[in-house]
Amino acid sequence: MTPHSLPARRIVASPFSDPALDALMLPFAQGVLAWPSGPVLFLRARDGAALRQFPLSQLVCEQSFRPDAELLERAGLRVVADAVAEETRHALVLVLPPRQREEARALLTRAVQLAAPDGVVVAAMTNNEGAKSGEADLKQLAGLAGTLTKFHCRTFWTRKRADSVDDARLAQWSALDAPRRIENGRYLSRPGVFAWNRIDPASALLVECLPKDITGHGADLGAGWGFLSLSLLARNPGITALDLYEAEARALSLARANLADAGASATLDFHWHDVTAGLPQRYDFIVSNPPFHTQSRADRPDIGQRFITAAAAALKPGGRLWLVANRHLPYEQTLNDQFGEVRVAGERDGFKVIAAVKARR
C-alpha cells in the first residue's frame, strides 16, 4: 500500500482529544485528500492520535510553545525552530492557526510560501477561535480547493498554483506578526504573544505592589516579553541575577531584546522552559503572572497552581514570592499548603497580588 492510497479512516472526537488536530487530519482520514510521499511541514504542530495514522518519516514540525514541542520530541518527531531556514518546499503544509488574527494571517502566508508548486496547504481552527475568518483569509491568499466542518471546527485547504496565489497579499501579510515598538517605543513586542500591544493591567498592579528591597538571585516565571523583569530590575538595584522562564519562544526572544536595551547590571539568563515541569535552580525571590487559561480561553487554574508549586520548590527557606492573579482563581489553598506566610498585598479591577514567604523549616 502506498502513502497515496491510504484507506479512509473514521476519527471520533473525544473529551480528551484535540478537536482542531482531529479536524485537520479529517480530509486525509476520509480519503478526500491523499497523503503525499514528499516532504510534509506542520506549522504550530501538535501531537495526537489523529496525526499518528499517517506516515511521518517525512514530517517536519515547527512549534515555538515548549510543552507542545517537548511532546512532539518525545514522540520521536523532528522539531525545528524555524521552517524557513530549512529551505525546503513541501508537498503538504499542515497549519493550526492561532486565535490572534495578525499572527494567523502571517502563519497562513508562510504556509503558502513554503508549499511546493502544486503543493497542498491544509488548515483547521475551532469555530470559537476564528475559523470562518481563517478560511476567508486563505481564500484571499491562494483560493480554496475544499472545506469540511466537524468537531465544532472548520478545515479548509488550497492547492498552490501560480494563477491563484495573490503575490501582493502574500508580501503584505508576511510581516503582520513582525516585532514592533509599543508604549511609545519603550518596549518591543509582536502580535500573538500575551498582552502584545499593551502593559497587562495585572502585571502593572503587581509592579506597583513590589517592594524596593528585593536582593539576590531571582526568577520571573512566565516572563512574556519582559515587562515584569524590566520593572523589577528598575526598582531593585540590589538584584544580582535574574532568570526569565517562558514557554513561548516568540515571547522569550522579545524579552532578550527588551532586557538588552535596558542595560541592567544584574546577570540575566533566559530559559525556554515549561515552568509546570519544575525549575532547575534555587532562588531568593520569584515573581510571576502565571497563565490561567488555554488558547480557547477556557479557565485552567491548575496551571497557576502548578506554577505556585514549582515556585515553592525552587525558593530557598525564607524566600519570597509575589504573584498576581484574577481574584476568582482558587490559589489560596495551594499557597497555604506550600508557604509559611501568605497575604494579599493589593487588589484592583478584579486582580489580586499575593505575597508569600517560604517557611524556614
Side-chain angles (χ1 to χ4, degrees), residues 137-339:
D137 288 342
L138 184 60
K139 183 178 182 179
Q140 290 185 76
L141 284 172
L144 281 183
T147 63
L148 286 172
T149 56
K150 198 171 180 65
F151 311 137
H152 302 289
C153 298
R154 186 175 293 265
T155 307
F156 42 96
W157 62 91
T158 189
R159 188 173 294 276
K160 184 178 179 180
R161 293 195 170 100
D163 60 354
S164 61
V165 172
D166 186 336
D167 292 324
R169 199 177 300 275
L170 284 177
Q172 179 187 357
W173 285 5
S174 63
L176 282 178
D177 71 336
R180 77 270 321 252
R181 291 284 167 183
I182 64 168
E183 295 288 328
N184 297 317
R186 293 169 62 195
Y187 309 109
L188 189 69
S189 187
R190 68 188 303 183
V193 303
F194 173 68
W196 81 268
N197 58 353
R198 70 193 189 283
I199 295 172
D200 171 57
S203 294
L205 176 62
L206 175 54
V207 167
E208 291 176 23
C209 295
L210 289 175
K212 298 183 179 179
D213 64 347
I214 302 174
T215 60
H217 186 183
D220 180 353
L221 308 187
W225 51 260
F227 171 72
L228 269 182
S229 290
L230 285 162
S231 304
L232 182 68
L233 292 169
R235 293 168 65 96
N236 292 275
I239 294 174
T240 57
L242 185 64
D243 291 356
L244 285 77
Y245 290 88
E246 173 56 47
E248 178 52 63
R250 298 171 77 251
L252 190 64
S253 65
L254 296 167
R256 285 181 183 274
N258 283 321
L259 270 293
D261 290 346
S265 59
T267 300
L268 302 176
D269 205 355
F270 300 85
H271 303 266
W272 185 40
H273 183 77
D274 178 7
V275 168
T276 65
L279 304 178
Q281 303 272 358
R282 302 294 297 279
Y283 294 106
D284 301 304
F285 68 90
I286 289 174
V287 298
S288 184
N289 180 2
F292 62 90
H293 54 67
T294 63
Q295 185 182 14
S296 63
R297 321 311 290 176
D299 273 10
R300 282 286 305 277
D302 61 297
I303 298 175
Q305 290 163 347
R306 291 164 72 186
F307 265 60
I308 293 166
T309 299
L315 281 168
K316 300 173 183 176
R320 296 187 287 176
L321 167 69
W322 287 272
L323 175 141
V324 66
N326 281 41
R327 189 179 290 144
H328 73 275
L329 291 173
Y331 291 163
E332 279 73 15
Q333 186 62 54
T334 305
L335 285 158
N336 289 327
D337 290 344
Q338 302 283 345
F339 289 88

Side-chain angles (χ1 to χ4, degrees), residues 71-128:
L71 289 173
L72 292 162
E73 289 168 349
R74 285 200 291 269
L77 299 173
R78 185 181 173 213
V79 182
V80 299
D82 184 3
V84 175
E86 299 287 297
E87 298 184 355
T88 300
R89 293 299 175 263
H90 302 82
L92 171 64
V93 181
L94 304 169
V95 197
L96 289 174
R99 183 188 188 98
Q100 209 282 334
R101 186 75 179 275
E102 291 177 273
E103 184 191 2
R105 281 181 161 177
L107 191 66
L108 288 171
T109 298
R110 285 207 302 125
V112 173
Q113 291 169 331
L114 292 167
D118 207 43
V120 177
V121 174
V122 185
M125 303 175 72
T126 60
N127 292 335
N128 63 356

Side-chain angles (χ1 to χ4, degrees), residues 14-51:
S14 78
F16 307 105
S17 70
D18 183 333
L21 179 61
D22 293 344
L24 183 69
M25 306 312 298
L26 198 60
F28 306 100
Q30 292 184 345
V32 177
L33 290 175
W35 189 265
S37 57
V40 179
L41 175 64
F42 192 173
L43 300 177
R44 279 290 184 183
R46 298 198 291 266
D47 188 28
L51 181 67

